[in-house]
Amino acid sequence: MIDLSWYIIMLYIHIFSVVLSIGPYFVLFPLLALIRRAPFESLPDYLEPFRITVRLTKHAGHVLVATGIILTWITAWSWKTSWIVATVLIMVASLYFIARAFSPLLRQLKAPHEDRNFLVNKLRKALILYVIITLAMMWFMVSKPTIW
């Protein structure tokens, strides 16, 4: 019989929520070229995966935070541990970033606009920056460096 502890269950849920928070963004990169050249009438079809991804990662982030709190509580880690503090700070920055980066750009792309290339370039930069932010957060969680 398999002996599953609460720690193992929470750890796997935590890891799965990390995958859901980062993974879908990689699928969006090929869509940028399609958005750049699609007729305006079909743009909503290409922008919908972005909206779905932002919503999915938001909910995965809620699970990520909840399981992170539980894992910190049931292990010997302290909230003052350097890698936990760094991860929380990066997470707060990513929450601010995701709220300010994607939704306004997607709204601008849905409305009639003059320079789609400019908006798609901004969306691409936001996508790259968000992936870097979340990968940095993941690096702290995996490598657990001692900063202080």
PDB file of all heavy atoms in Angstrom, residues 66-88:
ATOM      1  N   ALA A  66      -1.775  28.955  -1.459  1.00  0.00           N
ATOM      2  CA  ALA A  66      -2.359  28.174  -0.361  1.00  0.00           C
ATOM      3  C   ALA A  66      -1.482  26.982  -0.003  1.00  0.00           C
ATOM      4  O   ALA A  66      -1.193  26.746   1.180  1.00  0.00           O
ATOM      5  CB  ALA A  66      -3.765  27.712  -0.743  1.00  0.00           C
ATOM      6  N   THR A  67      -1.037  26.239  -1.015  1.00  0.00           N
ATOM      7  CA  THR A  67      -0.187  25.078  -0.720  1.00  0.00           C
ATOM      8  C   THR A  67       1.190  25.506  -0.206  1.00  0.00           C
ATOM      9  O   THR A  67       1.771  24.818   0.626  1.00  0.00           O
ATOM     10  CB  THR A  67      -0.044  24.162  -1.948  1.00  0.00           C
ATOM     11  OG1 THR A  67       0.460  24.924  -3.053  1.00  0.00           O
ATOM     12  CG2 THR A  67      -1.364  23.513  -2.302  1.00  0.00           C
ATOM     13  N   GLY A  68       1.681  26.647  -0.681  1.00  0.00           N
ATOM     14  CA  GLY A  68       2.955  27.162  -0.158  1.00  0.00           C
ATOM     15  C   GLY A  68       2.858  27.508   1.314  1.00  0.00           C
ATOM     16  O   GLY A  68       3.772  27.215   2.099  1.00  0.00           O
ATOM     17  N   ILE A  69       1.744  28.114   1.705  1.00  0.00           N
ATOM     18  CA  ILE A  69       1.530  28.436   3.126  1.00  0.00           C
ATOM     19  C   ILE A  69       1.436  27.148   3.944  1.00  0.00           C
ATOM     20  O   ILE A  69       2.069  27.030   5.006  1.00  0.00           O
ATOM     21  CB  ILE A  69       0.258  29.297   3.294  1.00  0.00           C
ATOM     22  CG1 ILE A  69       0.505  30.703   2.732  1.00  0.00           C
ATOM     23  CG2 ILE A  69      -0.178  29.368   4.759  1.00  0.00           C
ATOM     24  CD1 ILE A  69      -0.754  31.548   2.601  1.00  0.00           C
ATOM     25  N   ILE A  70       0.683  26.175   3.441  1.00  0.00           N
ATOM     26  CA  ILE A  70       0.545  24.902   4.155  1.00  0.00           C
ATOM     27  C   ILE A  70       1.889  24.189   4.267  1.00  0.00           C
ATOM     28  O   ILE A  70       2.251  23.677   5.336  1.00  0.00           O
ATOM     29  CB  ILE A  70      -0.513  24.006   3.466  1.00  0.00           C
ATOM     30  CG1 ILE A  70      -1.903  24.622   3.625  1.00  0.00           C
ATOM     31  CG2 ILE A  70      -0.478  22.586   4.020  1.00  0.00           C
ATOM     32  CD1 ILE A  70      -2.976  23.988   2.762  1.00  0.00           C
ATOM     33  N   LEU A  71       2.650  24.163   3.175  1.00  0.00           N
ATOM     34  CA  LEU A  71       3.959  23.498   3.199  1.00  0.00           C
ATOM     35  C   LEU A  71       4.920  24.180   4.176  1.00  0.00           C
ATOM     36  O   LEU A  71       5.686  23.514   4.872  1.00  0.00           O
ATOM     37  CB  LEU A  71       4.565  23.457   1.792  1.00  0.00           C
ATOM     38  CG  LEU A  71       3.954  22.438   0.847  1.00  0.00           C
ATOM     39  CD1 LEU A  71       4.412  22.678  -0.588  1.00  0.00           C
ATOM     40  CD2 LEU A  71       4.293  21.014   1.288  1.00  0.00           C
ATOM     41  N   THR A  72       4.878  25.499   4.230  1.00  0.00           N
ATOM     42  CA  THR A  72       5.734  26.217   5.172  1.00  0.00           C
ATOM     43  C   THR A  72       5.307  25.908   6.605  1.00  0.00           C
ATOM     44  O   THR A  72       6.137  25.727   7.501  1.00  0.00           O
ATOM     45  CB  THR A  72       5.691  27.734   4.911  1.00  0.00           C
ATOM     46  OG1 THR A  72       6.075  27.966   3.555  1.00  0.00           O
ATOM     47  CG2 THR A  72       6.637  28.483   5.827  1.00  0.00           C
ATOM     48  N   TRP A  73       4.015  25.803   6.809  1.00  0.00           N
ATOM     49  CA  TRP A  73       3.467  25.541   8.136  1.00  0.00           C
ATOM     50  C   TRP A  73       3.806  24.131   8.625  1.00  0.00           C
ATOM     51  O   TRP A  73       4.140  23.937   9.801  1.00  0.00           O
ATOM     52  CB  TRP A  73       1.956  25.764   8.101  1.00  0.00           C
ATOM     53  CG  TRP A  73       1.250  25.495   9.377  1.00  0.00           C
ATOM     54  CD1 TRP A  73       1.451  26.093  10.589  1.00  0.00           C
ATOM     55  CD2 TRP A  73       0.215  24.531   9.587  1.00  0.00           C
ATOM     56  NE1 TRP A  73       0.602  25.574  11.529  1.00  0.00           N
ATOM     57  CE2 TRP A  73      -0.171  24.611  10.930  1.00  0.00           C
ATOM     58  CE3 TRP A  73      -0.427  23.619   8.755  1.00  0.00           C
ATOM     59  CZ2 TRP A  73      -1.164  23.808  11.474  1.00  0.00           C
ATOM     60  CZ3 TRP A  73      -1.423  22.828   9.286  1.00  0.00           C
ATOM     61  CH2 TRP A  73      -1.772  22.933  10.631  1.00  0.00           C
ATOM     62  N   ILE A  74       3.732  23.103   7.727  1.00  0.00           N
ATOM     63  CA  ILE A  74       3.955  21.723   8.172  1.00  0.00           C
ATOM     64  C   ILE A  74       5.422  21.285   8.119  1.00  0.00           C
ATOM     65  O   ILE A  74       5.735  20.163   8.501  1.00  0.00           O
ATOM     66  CB  ILE A  74       3.072  20.712   7.400  1.00  0.00           C
ATOM     67  CG1 ILE A  74       3.418  20.664   5.923  1.00  0.00           C
ATOM     68  CG2 ILE A  74       1.615  20.981   7.621  1.00  0.00           C
ATOM     69  CD1 ILE A  74       2.642  19.605   5.131  1.00  0.00           C
ATOM     70  N   THR A  75       6.302  22.175   7.648  1.00  0.00           N
ATOM     71  CA  THR A  75       7.735  21.845   7.630  1.00  0.00           C
ATOM     72  C   THR A  75       8.466  22.734   8.627  1.00  0.00           C
ATOM     73  O   THR A  75       7.868  23.530   9.330  1.00  0.00           O
ATOM     74  CB  THR A  75       8.333  22.054   6.223  1.00  0.00           C
ATOM     75  OG1 THR A  75       8.208  23.430   5.852  1.00  0.00           O
ATOM     76  CG2 THR A  75       7.650  21.178   5.192  1.00  0.00           C
ATOM     77  N   ALA A  76       9.753  22.604   8.661  1.00  0.00           N
ATOM     78  CA  ALA A  76      10.563  23.378   9.605  1.00  0.00           C
ATOM     79  C   ALA A  76      10.985  24.739   9.058  1.00  0.00           C
ATOM     80  O   ALA A  76      11.700  25.476   9.726  1.00  0.00           O
ATOM     81  CB  ALA A  76      11.808  22.574   9.979  1.00  0.00           C
ATOM     82  N   TRP A  77      10.556  25.084   7.844  1.00  0.00           N
ATOM     83  CA  TRP A  77      10.965  26.359   7.266  1.00  0.00           C
ATOM     84  C   TRP A  77      10.302  27.516   8.006  1.00  0.00           C
ATOM     85  O   TRP A  77       9.155  27.437   8.398  1.00  0.00           O
ATOM     86  CB  TRP A  77      10.593  26.433   5.780  1.00  0.00           C
ATOM     87  CG  TRP A  77      11.307  25.429   4.932  1.00  0.00           C
ATOM     88  CD1 TRP A  77      10.773  24.334   4.346  1.00  0.00           C
ATOM     89  CD2 TRP A  77      12.682  25.427   4.579  1.00  0.00           C
ATOM     90  NE1 TRP A  77      11.721  23.639   3.647  1.00  0.00           N
ATOM     91  CE2 TRP A  77      12.909  24.296   3.781  1.00  0.00           C
ATOM     92  CE3 TRP A  77      13.752  26.271   4.872  1.00  0.00           C
ATOM     93  CZ2 TRP A  77      14.156  23.981   3.262  1.00  0.00           C
ATOM     94  CZ3 TRP A  77      14.999  25.956   4.350  1.00  0.00           C
ATOM     95  CH2 TRP A  77      15.183  24.831   3.566  1.00  0.00           C
ATOM     96  N   SER A  78      11.030  28.600   8.123  1.00  0.00           N
ATOM     97  CA  SER A  78      10.520  29.810   8.769  1.00  0.00           C
ATOM     98  C   SER A  78      10.144  30.826   7.689  1.00  0.00           C
ATOM     99  O   SER A  78      10.721  30.831   6.602  1.00  0.00           O
ATOM    100  CB  SER A  78      11.619  30.406   9.657  1.00  0.00           C
ATOM    101  OG  SER A  78      11.334  31.734   9.968  1.00  0.00           O
ATOM    102  N   TRP A  79       9.210  31.696   8.015  1.00  0.00           N
ATOM    103  CA  TRP A  79       8.819  32.753   7.074  1.00  0.00           C
ATOM    104  C   TRP A  79       9.942  33.758   6.868  1.00  0.00           C
ATOM    105  O   TRP A  79       9.897  34.552   5.943  1.00  0.00           O
ATOM    106  CB  TRP A  79       7.553  33.468   7.548  1.00  0.00           C
ATOM    107  CG  TRP A  79       6.351  32.605   7.354  1.00  0.00           C
ATOM    108  CD1 TRP A  79       5.670  31.916   8.308  1.00  0.00           C
ATOM    109  CD2 TRP A  79       5.716  32.303   6.114  1.00  0.00           C
ATOM    110  NE1 TRP A  79       4.650  31.203   7.740  1.00  0.00           N
ATOM    111  CE2 TRP A  79       4.644  31.421   6.402  1.00  0.00           C
ATOM    112  CE3 TRP A  79       5.939  32.673   4.796  1.00  0.00           C
ATOM    113  CZ2 TRP A  79       3.813  30.930   5.405  1.00  0.00           C
ATOM    114  CZ3 TRP A  79       5.097  32.177   3.816  1.00  0.00           C
ATOM    115  CH2 TRP A  79       4.049  31.319   4.125  1.00  0.00           C
ATOM    116  N   LYS A  80      10.956  33.715   7.727  1.00  0.00           N
ATOM    117  CA  LYS A  80      12.101  34.629   7.606  1.00  0.00           C
ATOM    118  C   LYS A  80      13.243  34.020   6.791  1.00  0.00           C
ATOM    119  O   LYS A  80      14.262  34.668   6.582  1.00  0.00           O
ATOM    120  CB  LYS A  80      12.609  35.012   8.998  1.00  0.00           C
ATOM    121  CG  LYS A  80      11.587  35.778   9.805  1.00  0.00           C
ATOM    122  CD  LYS A  80      12.074  36.061  11.199  1.00  0.00           C
ATOM    123  CE  LYS A  80      10.977  36.735  12.004  1.00  0.00           C
ATOM    124  NZ  LYS A  80      11.342  36.909  13.390  1.00  0.00           N
ATOM    125  N   THR A  81      13.063  32.791   6.319  1.00  0.00           N
ATOM    126  CA  THR A  81      14.074  32.134   5.493  1.00  0.00           C
ATOM    127  C   THR A  81      14.243  32.943   4.200  1.00  0.00           C
ATOM    128  O   THR A  81      13.262  33.343   3.576  1.00  0.00           O
ATOM    129  CB  THR A  81      13.634  30.690   5.168  1.00  0.00           C
ATOM    130  OG1 THR A  81      13.360  30.014   6.391  1.00  0.00           O
ATOM    131  CG2 THR A  81      14.694  29.953   4.387  1.00  0.00           C
ATOM    132  N   SER A  82      15.490  33.158   3.820  1.00  0.00           N
ATOM    133  CA  SER A  82      15.770  34.072   2.704  1.00  0.00           C
ATOM    134  C   SER A  82      15.081  33.678   1.408  1.00  0.00           C
ATOM    135  O   SER A  82      14.527  34.530   0.709  1.00  0.00           O
ATOM    136  CB  SER A  82      17.281  34.194   2.493  1.00  0.00           C
ATOM    137  OG  SER A  82      17.845  32.941   2.189  1.00  0.00           O
ATOM    138  N   TRP A  83      15.073  32.402   1.046  1.00  0.00           N
ATOM    139  CA  TRP A  83      14.459  32.003  -0.225  1.00  0.00           C
ATOM    140  C   TRP A  83      12.944  32.147  -0.190  1.00  0.00           C
ATOM    141  O   TRP A  83      12.328  32.423  -1.219  1.00  0.00           O
ATOM    142  CB  TRP A  83      14.893  30.606  -0.658  1.00  0.00           C
ATOM    143  CG  TRP A  83      14.404  29.481   0.200  1.00  0.00           C
ATOM    144  CD1 TRP A  83      15.054  28.943   1.268  1.00  0.00           C
ATOM    145  CD2 TRP A  83      13.174  28.785   0.065  1.00  0.00           C
ATOM    146  NE1 TRP A  83      14.297  27.946   1.805  1.00  0.00           N
ATOM    147  CE2 TRP A  83      13.133  27.816   1.088  1.00  0.00           C
ATOM    148  CE3 TRP A  83      12.101  28.865  -0.809  1.00  0.00           C
ATOM    149  CZ2 TRP A  83      12.068  26.945   1.255  1.00  0.00           C
ATOM    150  CZ3 TRP A  83      11.036  27.993  -0.647  1.00  0.00           C
ATOM    151  CH2 TRP A  83      11.021  27.046   0.374  1.00  0.00           C
ATOM    152  N   ILE A  84      12.344  32.002   0.991  1.00  0.00           N
ATOM    153  CA  ILE A  84      10.897  32.195   1.107  1.00  0.00           C
ATOM    154  C   ILE A  84      10.561  33.676   0.984  1.00  0.00           C
ATOM    155  O   ILE A  84       9.626  34.066   0.278  1.00  0.00           O
ATOM    156  CB  ILE A  84      10.350  31.593   2.425  1.00  0.00           C
ATOM    157  CG1 ILE A  84      10.460  30.071   2.385  1.00  0.00           C
ATOM    158  CG2 ILE A  84       8.904  32.030   2.667  1.00  0.00           C
ATOM    159  CD1 ILE A  84      10.032  29.363   3.657  1.00  0.00           C
ATOM    160  N   VAL A  85      11.334  34.526   1.639  1.00  0.00           N
ATOM    161  CA  VAL A  85      11.119  35.974   1.537  1.00  0.00           C
ATOM    162  C   VAL A  85      11.278  36.431   0.092  1.00  0.00           C
ATOM    163  O   VAL A  85      10.446  37.181  -0.431  1.00  0.00           O
ATOM    164  CB  VAL A  85      12.093  36.742   2.467  1.00  0.00           C
ATOM    165  CG1 VAL A  85      12.036  38.231   2.226  1.00  0.00           C
ATOM    166  CG2 VAL A  85      11.797  36.424   3.930  1.00  0.00           C
ATOM    167  N   ALA A  86      12.341  35.963  -0.579  1.00  0.00           N
ATOM    168  CA  ALA A  86      12.572  36.347  -1.979  1.00  0.00           C
ATOM    169  C   ALA A  86      11.431  35.863  -2.873  1.00  0.00           C
ATOM    170  O   ALA A  86      10.960  36.608  -3.740  1.00  0.00           O
ATOM    171  CB  ALA A  86      13.909  35.788  -2.459  1.00  0.00           C
ATOM    172  N   THR A  87      10.961  34.645  -2.653  1.00  0.00           N
ATOM    173  CA  THR A  87       9.865  34.107  -3.452  1.00  0.00           C
ATOM    174  C   THR A  87       8.589  34.926  -3.249  1.00  0.00           C
ATOM    175  O   THR A  87       7.891  35.249  -4.217  1.00  0.00           O
ATOM    176  CB  THR A  87       9.602  32.626  -3.088  1.00  0.00           C
ATOM    177  OG1 THR A  87      10.808  31.884  -3.297  1.00  0.00           O
ATOM    178  CG2 THR A  87       8.490  32.044  -3.932  1.00  0.00           C
ATOM    179  N   VAL A  88       8.291  35.270  -2.011  1.00  0.00           N
ATOM    180  CA  VAL A  88       7.086  36.067  -1.720  1.00  0.00           C
ATOM    181  C   VAL A  88       7.190  37.444  -2.364  1.00  0.00           C
ATOM    182  O   VAL A  88       6.223  37.942  -2.950  1.00  0.00           O
ATOM    183  CB  VAL A  88       6.840  36.159  -0.202  1.00  0.00           C
ATOM    184  CG1 VAL A  88       5.769  37.181   0.129  1.00  0.00           C
ATOM    185  CG2 VAL A  88       6.455  34.799   0.362  1.00  0.00           C
TER     186      VAL A  88
END
